[in-house]
Amino acid sequence: MDWARIGLEFVLGTETSAASWHGKGPHQSYPDTGERARPEWLTFPLVAVEVDYVRTGGPTYA
């Protein structure tokens, strides 16, 4: 079965300096690594959670 792929982007105001969420993280967690992230409340500065992913094709935003 082919799954649909979607992208999601959040744009925050310049006055926002931190992000808080409940979940697994803040780093990537894969079941096959033998390491697992526990769900918890997390708060980090935005510069610590930003990830620059390579974008191939699609629209570009200025």
Side-chain angles (χ1 to χ4, degrees):
M1 174 187 331
D2 290 333
W3 291 91
R5 295 182 182 195
I6 62 169
L8 183 61
E9 179 179 12
F10 290 98
V11 179
L12 304 174
T14 57
E15 68 279 355
T16 306
S17 61
S20 298
W21 70 94
H22 184 267
K24 297 179 180 181
H27 306 290
Q28 298 163 345
S29 174
Y30 300 102
D32 61 344
T33 62
E35 299 288 326
R36 68 180 184 103
R38 294 185 176 99
E40 59 183 317
W41 279 103
L42 302 156
T43 301
F44 285 91
L46 289 182
V47 295
V49 296
E50 181 180 4
V51 177
D52 291 325
Y53 289 108
V54 175
R55 294 181 187 205
T56 57
T60 57
Y61 302 98

Short mmCIF file of all heavy atoms in Angstrom, two decimals:
data_model
loop_
_atom_site.label_atom_id
_atom_site.label_comp_id
_atom_site.label_asym_id
_atom_site.label_seq_id
_atom_site.Cartn_x
_atom_site.Cartn_y
_atom_site.Cartn_z
N MET A 1 0.84 -1.16 0.00
CA MET A 1 0.00 0.00 0.00
C MET A 1 0.90 1.24 0.00
O MET A 1 1.85 1.32 0.77
CB MET A 1 -0.88 0.01 1.25
CG MET A 1 -1.66 1.26 1.38
SD MET A 1 -2.62 1.54 2.90
CE MET A 1 -3.07 -0.02 3.49
N ASP A 2 0.60 2.19 -0.86
CA ASP A 2 1.33 3.45 -0.88
C ASP A 2 0.66 4.43 0.08
O ASP A 2 -0.56 4.57 0.08
CB ASP A 2 1.34 4.06 -2.28
CG ASP A 2 2.20 3.26 -3.24
OD1 ASP A 2 3.15 2.61 -2.75
OD2 ASP A 2 1.92 3.28 -4.44
N TRP A 3 1.47 5.06 0.92
CA TRP A 3 0.96 6.06 1.85
C TRP A 3 1.16 7.44 1.27
O TRP A 3 2.17 7.72 0.64
CB TRP A 3 1.69 5.96 3.18
CG TRP A 3 1.37 4.71 3.93
CD1 TRP A 3 2.03 3.52 3.85
CD2 TRP A 3 0.29 4.51 4.81
NE1 TRP A 3 1.43 2.59 4.65
CE2 TRP A 3 0.35 3.17 5.26
CE3 TRP A 3 -0.75 5.31 5.28
CZ2 TRP A 3 -0.57 2.64 6.15
CZ3 TRP A 3 -1.65 4.77 6.17
CH2 TRP A 3 -1.56 3.45 6.60
N ALA A 4 0.21 8.30 1.50
CA ALA A 4 0.32 9.68 1.04
C ALA A 4 1.40 10.39 1.85
O ALA A 4 1.58 10.12 3.03
CB ALA A 4 -1.01 10.40 1.22
N ARG A 5 2.15 11.26 1.21
CA ARG A 5 3.17 12.04 1.88
C ARG A 5 2.68 13.47 2.02
O ARG A 5 2.20 14.05 1.06
CB ARG A 5 4.47 12.03 1.10
CG ARG A 5 5.09 10.67 1.03
CD ARG A 5 6.39 10.73 0.30
NE ARG A 5 6.97 9.41 0.19
CZ ARG A 5 8.21 9.18 -0.14
NH1 ARG A 5 9.01 10.18 -0.40
NH2 ARG A 5 8.66 7.95 -0.21
N ILE A 6 2.82 14.00 3.21
CA ILE A 6 2.43 15.38 3.43
C ILE A 6 3.58 16.11 4.10
O ILE A 6 4.43 15.51 4.74
CB ILE A 6 1.16 15.52 4.30
CG1 ILE A 6 1.40 14.92 5.69
CG2 ILE A 6 -0.02 14.85 3.62
CD1 ILE A 6 0.31 15.25 6.68
N GLY A 7 3.61 17.39 3.94
CA GLY A 7 4.61 18.21 4.61
C GLY A 7 3.90 19.20 5.52
O GLY A 7 2.78 19.62 5.25
N LEU A 8 4.54 19.55 6.60
CA LEU A 8 3.95 20.48 7.55
C LEU A 8 5.02 21.46 7.99
O LEU A 8 6.13 21.06 8.35
CB LEU A 8 3.42 19.70 8.76
CG LEU A 8 2.70 20.49 9.84
CD1 LEU A 8 1.45 21.16 9.26
CD2 LEU A 8 2.31 19.56 10.97
N GLU A 9 4.71 22.73 7.93
CA GLU A 9 5.66 23.75 8.31
C GLU A 9 4.98 24.72 9.25
O GLU A 9 3.88 25.19 8.97
CB GLU A 9 6.18 24.49 7.08
CG GLU A 9 7.16 25.57 7.41
CD GLU A 9 7.68 26.27 6.16
OE1 GLU A 9 7.12 26.08 5.08
OE2 GLU A 9 8.65 27.02 6.30
N PHE A 10 5.60 24.99 10.39
CA PHE A 10 5.10 25.97 11.34
C PHE A 10 5.95 27.22 11.23
O PHE A 10 7.18 27.13 11.25
CB PHE A 10 5.18 25.45 12.78
CG PHE A 10 4.22 24.34 13.06
CD1 PHE A 10 4.63 23.02 13.03
CD2 PHE A 10 2.90 24.62 13.36
CE1 PHE A 10 3.76 22.00 13.29
CE2 PHE A 10 2.01 23.60 13.62
CZ PHE A 10 2.42 22.29 13.59
N VAL A 11 5.31 28.35 11.12
CA VAL A 11 6.03 29.62 11.09
C VAL A 11 5.67 30.37 12.37
O VAL A 11 4.49 30.65 12.61
CB VAL A 11 5.66 30.44 9.84
CG1 VAL A 11 6.39 31.77 9.84
CG2 VAL A 11 5.97 29.65 8.58
N LEU A 12 6.68 30.67 13.17
CA LEU A 12 6.47 31.34 14.45
C LEU A 12 6.92 32.78 14.37
O LEU A 12 7.81 33.12 13.58
CB LEU A 12 7.24 30.62 15.55
CG LEU A 12 6.93 29.13 15.70
CD1 LEU A 12 7.87 28.50 16.72
CD2 LEU A 12 5.48 28.94 16.12
N GLY A 13 6.34 33.61 15.20
CA GLY A 13 6.72 35.01 15.24
C GLY A 13 8.14 35.20 15.76
O GLY A 13 8.70 34.31 16.41
N THR A 14 8.72 36.34 15.47
CA THR A 14 10.11 36.60 15.87
C THR A 14 10.26 36.69 17.38
O THR A 14 11.36 36.53 17.90
CB THR A 14 10.63 37.89 15.22
OG1 THR A 14 9.76 38.97 15.58
CG2 THR A 14 10.69 37.75 13.72
N GLU A 15 9.19 36.96 18.12
CA GLU A 15 9.28 37.06 19.58
C GLU A 15 9.29 35.69 20.26
O GLU A 15 9.54 35.58 21.44
CB GLU A 15 8.13 37.91 20.14
CG GLU A 15 6.76 37.29 20.00
CD GLU A 15 6.10 37.45 18.63
OE1 GLU A 15 6.66 38.13 17.76
OE2 GLU A 15 5.04 36.87 18.44
N THR A 16 9.04 34.62 19.51
CA THR A 16 9.05 33.27 20.06
C THR A 16 10.49 32.81 20.23
O THR A 16 11.28 32.84 19.30
CB THR A 16 8.30 32.30 19.12
OG1 THR A 16 7.01 32.82 18.88
CG2 THR A 16 8.19 30.93 19.74
N SER A 17 10.84 32.37 21.44
CA SER A 17 12.22 31.96 21.70
C SER A 17 12.35 30.50 22.11
O SER A 17 13.44 29.95 22.10
CB SER A 17 12.84 32.84 22.78
OG SER A 17 12.11 32.69 23.99
N ALA A 18 11.22 29.85 22.46
CA ALA A 18 11.28 28.45 22.91
C ALA A 18 10.03 27.72 22.46
O ALA A 18 9.00 28.32 22.16
CB ALA A 18 11.42 28.38 24.43
N ALA A 19 10.14 26.40 22.43
CA ALA A 19 9.01 25.55 22.07
C ALA A 19 8.83 24.50 23.16
O ALA A 19 9.80 23.96 23.68
CB ALA A 19 9.25 24.87 20.73
N SER A 20 7.57 24.22 23.52
CA SER A 20 7.26 23.19 24.51
C SER A 20 6.27 22.22 23.90
O SER A 20 5.36 22.62 23.17
CB SER A 20 6.63 23.81 25.76
OG SER A 20 7.51 24.68 26.38
N TRP A 21 6.44 20.92 24.18
CA TRP A 21 5.54 19.91 23.65
C TRP A 21 5.62 18.66 24.49
O TRP A 21 6.57 18.44 25.23
CB TRP A 21 5.84 19.61 22.19
CG TRP A 21 7.13 18.88 21.96
CD1 TRP A 21 7.31 17.52 21.85
CD2 TRP A 21 8.43 19.45 21.83
NE1 TRP A 21 8.63 17.21 21.65
CE2 TRP A 21 9.36 18.39 21.64
CE3 TRP A 21 8.93 20.75 21.87
CZ2 TRP A 21 10.71 18.60 21.48
CZ3 TRP A 21 10.29 20.95 21.71
CH2 TRP A 21 11.16 19.88 21.51
N HIS A 22 4.60 17.83 24.38
CA HIS A 22 4.61 16.52 25.02
C HIS A 22 4.81 15.48 23.93
O HIS A 22 4.07 15.43 22.96
CB HIS A 22 3.29 16.24 25.76
CG HIS A 22 3.33 14.95 26.49
ND1 HIS A 22 2.87 13.78 25.94
CD2 HIS A 22 3.80 14.64 27.71
CE1 HIS A 22 3.04 12.79 26.81
NE2 HIS A 22 3.60 13.30 27.89
N GLY A 23 5.83 14.69 24.08
CA GLY A 23 6.10 13.67 23.08
C GLY A 23 7.44 13.03 23.30
O GLY A 23 8.07 13.22 24.34
N LYS A 24 7.88 12.30 22.32
CA LYS A 24 9.18 11.65 22.36
C LYS A 24 10.19 12.57 21.70
O LYS A 24 9.96 13.08 20.62
CB LYS A 24 9.14 10.31 21.64
CG LYS A 24 8.19 9.32 22.27
CD LYS A 24 8.17 8.03 21.49
CE LYS A 24 7.23 7.04 22.12
NZ LYS A 24 7.19 5.77 21.39
N GLY A 25 11.29 12.76 22.34
CA GLY A 25 12.25 13.65 21.72
C GLY A 25 13.25 14.17 22.72
O GLY A 25 13.35 13.64 23.80
N PRO A 26 13.98 15.18 22.38
CA PRO A 26 13.80 16.04 21.22
C PRO A 26 14.47 15.48 19.96
O PRO A 26 14.36 16.06 18.90
CB PRO A 26 14.50 17.33 21.64
CG PRO A 26 15.62 16.85 22.48
CD PRO A 26 15.06 15.65 23.23
N HIS A 27 15.19 14.38 20.10
CA HIS A 27 15.93 13.86 18.97
C HIS A 27 15.15 12.74 18.28
O HIS A 27 14.17 12.23 18.81
CB HIS A 27 17.30 13.36 19.42
CG HIS A 27 18.06 14.41 20.17
ND1 HIS A 27 18.56 15.54 19.56
CD2 HIS A 27 18.35 14.55 21.48
CE1 HIS A 27 19.15 16.30 20.44
NE2 HIS A 27 19.04 15.72 21.62
N GLN A 28 15.62 12.33 17.14
CA GLN A 28 14.96 11.27 16.40
C GLN A 28 15.08 9.96 17.16
O GLN A 28 16.07 9.69 17.83
CB GLN A 28 15.58 11.14 15.02
CG GLN A 28 15.41 12.42 14.21
CD GLN A 28 16.34 12.49 13.03
OE1 GLN A 28 17.30 11.76 12.94
NE2 GLN A 28 16.06 13.40 12.12
N SER A 29 14.02 9.14 17.08
CA SER A 29 13.99 7.87 17.80
C SER A 29 13.46 6.80 16.86
O SER A 29 12.38 6.95 16.30
CB SER A 29 13.08 8.00 19.01
OG SER A 29 12.92 6.76 19.64
N TYR A 30 14.23 5.74 16.69
CA TYR A 30 13.83 4.66 15.79
C TYR A 30 13.77 3.35 16.56
O TYR A 30 14.64 3.07 17.39
CB TYR A 30 14.83 4.52 14.63
CG TYR A 30 14.95 5.78 13.81
CD1 TYR A 30 16.02 6.63 13.97
CD2 TYR A 30 13.96 6.12 12.89
CE1 TYR A 30 16.12 7.79 13.22
CE2 TYR A 30 14.06 7.27 12.14
CZ TYR A 30 15.14 8.10 12.31
OH TYR A 30 15.24 9.24 11.57
N PRO A 31 12.76 2.52 16.32
CA PRO A 31 12.61 1.28 17.09
C PRO A 31 13.74 0.27 16.87
O PRO A 31 13.99 -0.57 17.71
CB PRO A 31 11.28 0.71 16.63
CG PRO A 31 10.98 1.37 15.33
CD PRO A 31 11.69 2.68 15.35
N ASP A 32 14.45 0.35 15.76
CA ASP A 32 15.48 -0.65 15.46
C ASP A 32 16.86 -0.31 16.03
O ASP A 32 17.80 -1.06 15.86
CB ASP A 32 15.58 -0.88 13.96
CG ASP A 32 15.98 0.37 13.20
OD1 ASP A 32 15.87 1.47 13.78
OD2 ASP A 32 16.38 0.25 12.05
N THR A 33 17.00 0.81 16.73
CA THR A 33 18.31 1.19 17.25
C THR A 33 18.59 0.64 18.64
O THR A 33 19.71 0.71 19.11
CB THR A 33 18.46 2.72 17.31
OG1 THR A 33 17.47 3.24 18.20
CG2 THR A 33 18.33 3.34 15.93
N GLY A 34 17.57 0.12 19.31
CA GLY A 34 17.76 -0.36 20.67
C GLY A 34 17.64 0.75 21.69
O GLY A 34 17.64 0.50 22.89
N GLU A 35 17.54 1.97 21.24
CA GLU A 35 17.34 3.11 22.12
C GLU A 35 15.92 3.62 21.91
O GLU A 35 15.42 3.65 20.80
CB GLU A 35 18.32 4.23 21.78
CG GLU A 35 19.77 3.85 21.93
CD GLU A 35 20.18 3.70 23.39
OE1 GLU A 35 19.66 4.44 24.24
OE2 GLU A 35 21.02 2.84 23.67
N ARG A 36 15.31 4.02 22.96
CA ARG A 36 13.97 4.57 22.79
C ARG A 36 13.83 5.85 23.59
O ARG A 36 14.42 6.00 24.65
CB ARG A 36 12.89 3.58 23.20
CG ARG A 36 12.84 3.28 24.67
CD ARG A 36 11.72 2.27 24.94
NE ARG A 36 11.63 2.05 26.35
CZ ARG A 36 10.68 2.58 27.13
NH1 ARG A 36 9.76 3.34 26.60
NH2 ARG A 36 10.66 2.35 28.41
N ALA A 37 13.08 6.76 23.06
CA ALA A 37 12.81 8.01 23.75
C ALA A 37 11.53 7.84 24.55
O ALA A 37 10.55 7.28 24.06
CB ALA A 37 12.67 9.15 22.75
N ARG A 38 11.54 8.30 25.76
CA ARG A 38 10.35 8.21 26.61
C ARG A 38 9.48 9.46 26.41
O ARG A 38 10.01 10.56 26.32
CB ARG A 38 10.76 8.10 28.07
CG ARG A 38 11.47 6.82 28.37
CD ARG A 38 11.76 6.71 29.86
NE ARG A 38 12.35 5.42 30.14
CZ ARG A 38 13.65 5.23 30.30
NH1 ARG A 38 14.48 6.24 30.20
NH2 ARG A 38 14.12 4.02 30.56
N PRO A 39 8.16 9.29 26.38
CA PRO A 39 7.29 10.47 26.26
C PRO A 39 7.40 11.32 27.53
O PRO A 39 7.38 10.80 28.64
CB PRO A 39 5.88 9.87 26.15
CG PRO A 39 6.07 8.44 25.83
CD PRO A 39 7.41 8.04 26.35
N GLU A 40 7.53 12.61 27.34
CA GLU A 40 7.62 13.54 28.45
C GLU A 40 7.35 14.95 27.95
O GLU A 40 7.27 15.18 26.76
CB GLU A 40 9.00 13.47 29.11
CG GLU A 40 10.13 13.80 28.15
CD GLU A 40 11.49 13.64 28.79
OE1 GLU A 40 11.67 14.07 29.95
OE2 GLU A 40 12.38 13.08 28.15
N TRP A 41 7.22 15.91 28.89
CA TRP A 41 7.09 17.31 28.51
C TRP A 41 8.49 17.86 28.26
O TRP A 41 9.38 17.70 29.07
CB TRP A 41 6.40 18.12 29.59
CG TRP A 41 4.92 17.98 29.54
CD1 TRP A 41 4.14 17.22 30.35
CD2 TRP A 41 4.05 18.60 28.60
NE1 TRP A 41 2.83 17.32 29.97
CE2 TRP A 41 2.74 18.16 28.90
CE3 TRP A 41 4.22 19.46 27.53
CZ2 TRP A 41 1.64 18.57 28.17
CZ3 TRP A 41 3.12 19.86 26.81
CH2 TRP A 41 1.85 19.42 27.13
N LEU A 42 8.66 18.51 27.12
CA LEU A 42 9.96 19.03 26.72
C LEU A 42 9.86 20.52 26.41
O LEU A 42 8.85 20.97 25.85
CB LEU A 42 10.46 18.30 25.47
CG LEU A 42 10.60 16.79 25.64
CD1 LEU A 42 10.52 16.10 24.30
CD2 LEU A 42 11.89 16.46 26.34
N THR A 43 10.87 21.27 26.77
CA THR A 43 10.98 22.68 26.43
C THR A 43 12.41 22.96 26.01
O THR A 43 13.34 22.65 26.75
CB THR A 43 10.61 23.58 27.62
OG1 THR A 43 9.28 23.30 28.03
CG2 THR A 43 10.71 25.06 27.24
N PHE A 44 12.57 23.50 24.82
CA PHE A 44 13.90 23.80 24.30
C PHE A 44 13.87 25.13 23.57
O PHE A 44 12.84 25.52 23.00
CB PHE A 44 14.35 22.72 23.31
CG PHE A 44 14.75 21.45 23.98
CD1 PHE A 44 13.83 20.45 24.20
CD2 PHE A 44 16.06 21.25 24.39
CE1 PHE A 44 14.19 19.27 24.82
CE2 PHE A 44 16.43 20.08 25.01
CZ PHE A 44 15.50 19.09 25.23
N PRO A 45 15.01 25.83 23.53
CA PRO A 45 15.10 27.03 22.68
C PRO A 45 14.91 26.63 21.21
O PRO A 45 15.31 25.54 20.81
CB PRO A 45 16.51 27.56 22.92
CG PRO A 45 17.13 26.70 23.96
CD PRO A 45 16.24 25.55 24.23
N LEU A 46 14.33 27.50 20.43
CA LEU A 46 14.06 27.18 19.03
C LEU A 46 15.33 26.84 18.26
O LEU A 46 15.31 25.97 17.40
CB LEU A 46 13.33 28.33 18.35
CG LEU A 46 11.89 28.54 18.78
CD1 LEU A 46 11.27 29.69 17.98
CD2 LEU A 46 11.07 27.28 18.63
N VAL A 47 16.43 27.49 18.58
CA VAL A 47 17.67 27.19 17.85
C VAL A 47 18.14 25.77 18.12
O VAL A 47 18.87 25.19 17.31
CB VAL A 47 18.79 28.20 18.18
CG1 VAL A 47 18.42 29.60 17.71
CG2 VAL A 47 19.11 28.19 19.66
N ALA A 48 17.72 25.16 19.22
CA ALA A 48 18.14 23.80 19.56
C ALA A 48 17.31 22.74 18.83
O ALA A 48 17.75 21.61 18.69
CB ALA A 48 18.05 23.57 21.06
N VAL A 49 16.12 23.08 18.38
CA VAL A 49 15.25 22.09 17.74
C VAL A 49 15.09 22.30 16.23
O VAL A 49 14.44 21.52 15.56
CB VAL A 49 13.85 22.03 18.39
CG1 VAL A 49 13.95 21.58 19.82
CG2 VAL A 49 13.15 23.36 18.30
N GLU A 50 15.70 23.34 15.70
CA GLU A 50 15.60 23.60 14.27
C GLU A 50 16.43 22.59 13.49
O GLU A 50 17.56 22.28 13.85
CB GLU A 50 16.10 25.01 13.95
CG GLU A 50 16.02 25.36 12.49
CD GLU A 50 16.52 26.77 12.22
OE1 GLU A 50 17.00 27.44 13.13
OE2 GLU A 50 16.43 27.17 11.06
N VAL A 51 15.86 22.04 12.43
CA VAL A 51 16.56 21.07 11.59
C VAL A 51 16.49 21.56 10.14
O VAL A 51 15.42 21.84 9.63
CB VAL A 51 15.91 19.67 11.68
CG1 VAL A 51 16.60 18.70 10.75
CG2 VAL A 51 15.94 19.18 13.11
N ASP A 52 17.63 21.70 9.51
CA ASP A 52 17.68 22.09 8.10
C ASP A 52 17.69 20.84 7.24
O ASP A 52 18.73 20.22 7.05
CB ASP A 52 18.93 22.94 7.81
CG ASP A 52 18.86 24.29 8.47
OD1 ASP A 52 17.75 24.84 8.56
OD2 ASP A 52 19.90 24.80 8.91
N TYR A 53 16.52 20.45 6.77
CA TYR A 53 16.42 19.29 5.90
C TYR A 53 16.68 19.70 4.46
O TYR A 53 16.38 20.82 4.05
CB TYR A 53 15.02 18.67 5.98
CG TYR A 53 14.76 17.97 7.27
CD1 TYR A 53 13.90 18.51 8.22
CD2 TYR A 53 15.35 16.75 7.56
CE1 TYR A 53 13.66 17.87 9.41
CE2 TYR A 53 15.11 16.10 8.75
CZ TYR A 53 14.27 16.66 9.68
OH TYR A 53 14.03 16.01 10.85
N VAL A 54 17.23 18.81 3.68
CA VAL A 54 17.45 19.06 2.26
C VAL A 54 16.11 19.01 1.56
O VAL A 54 15.34 18.07 1.75
CB VAL A 54 18.41 18.02 1.67
CG1 VAL A 54 18.55 18.21 0.18
CG2 VAL A 54 19.75 18.10 2.37
N ARG A 55 15.83 20.00 0.77
CA ARG A 55 14.58 20.02 0.01
C ARG A 55 14.89 19.75 -1.45
O ARG A 55 15.77 20.39 -2.03
CB ARG A 55 13.90 21.37 0.14
CG ARG A 55 13.44 21.66 1.53
CD ARG A 55 12.75 22.99 1.59
NE ARG A 55 12.46 23.32 2.96
CZ ARG A 55 11.50 24.12 3.33
NH1 ARG A 55 10.75 24.70 2.43
NH2 ARG A 55 11.31 24.37 4.61
N THR A 56 14.18 18.80 -2.02
CA THR A 56 14.39 18.49 -3.43
C THR A 56 13.15 18.89 -4.22
O THR A 56 12.09 18.33 -4.03
CB THR A 56 14.65 16.99 -3.63
OG1 THR A 56 13.56 16.26 -3.08
CG2 THR A 56 15.93 16.58 -2.92
N GLY A 57 13.31 19.88 -5.05
CA GLY A 57 12.19 20.34 -5.86
C GLY A 57 11.15 21.07 -5.03
O GLY A 57 11.37 21.41 -3.89
N GLY A 58 10.01 21.28 -5.64
CA GLY A 58 8.92 21.94 -4.93
C GLY A 58 9.13 23.45 -4.88
O GLY A 58 10.12 23.98 -5.35
N PRO A 59 8.17 24.15 -4.27
CA PRO A 59 8.24 25.61 -4.23
C PRO A 59 9.34 26.07 -3.26
O PRO A 59 9.71 25.37 -2.33
CB PRO A 59 6.86 26.02 -3.71
CG PRO A 59 6.38 24.84 -2.95
CD PRO A 59 6.97 23.63 -3.64
N THR A 60 9.85 27.26 -3.50
CA THR A 60 10.80 27.86 -2.59
C THR A 60 10.15 29.10 -2.01
O THR A 60 9.35 29.77 -2.66
CB THR A 60 12.11 28.24 -3.30
OG1 THR A 60 11.78 29.13 -4.40
CG2 THR A 60 12.82 27.02 -3.85
N TYR A 61 10.49 29.41 -0.79
CA TYR A 61 9.90 30.55 -0.09
C TYR A 61 10.98 31.54 0.26
O TYR A 61 12.04 31.18 0.71
CB TYR A 61 9.19 30.07 1.18
CG TYR A 61 8.12 29.05 0.90
CD1 TYR A 61 8.38 27.69 1.04
CD2 TYR A 61 6.88 29.43 0.45
CE1 TYR A 61 7.41 26.74 0.78
CE2 TYR A 61 5.90 28.49 0.17
CZ TYR A 61 6.16 27.16 0.33
OH TYR A 61 5.20 26.23 0.06
N ALA A 62 10.68 32.79 0.02
CA ALA A 62 11.68 33.85 0.31
C ALA A 62 11.47 34.41 1.69
O ALA A 62 10.44 34.38 2.26
CB ALA A 62 11.58 34.95 -0.72
#
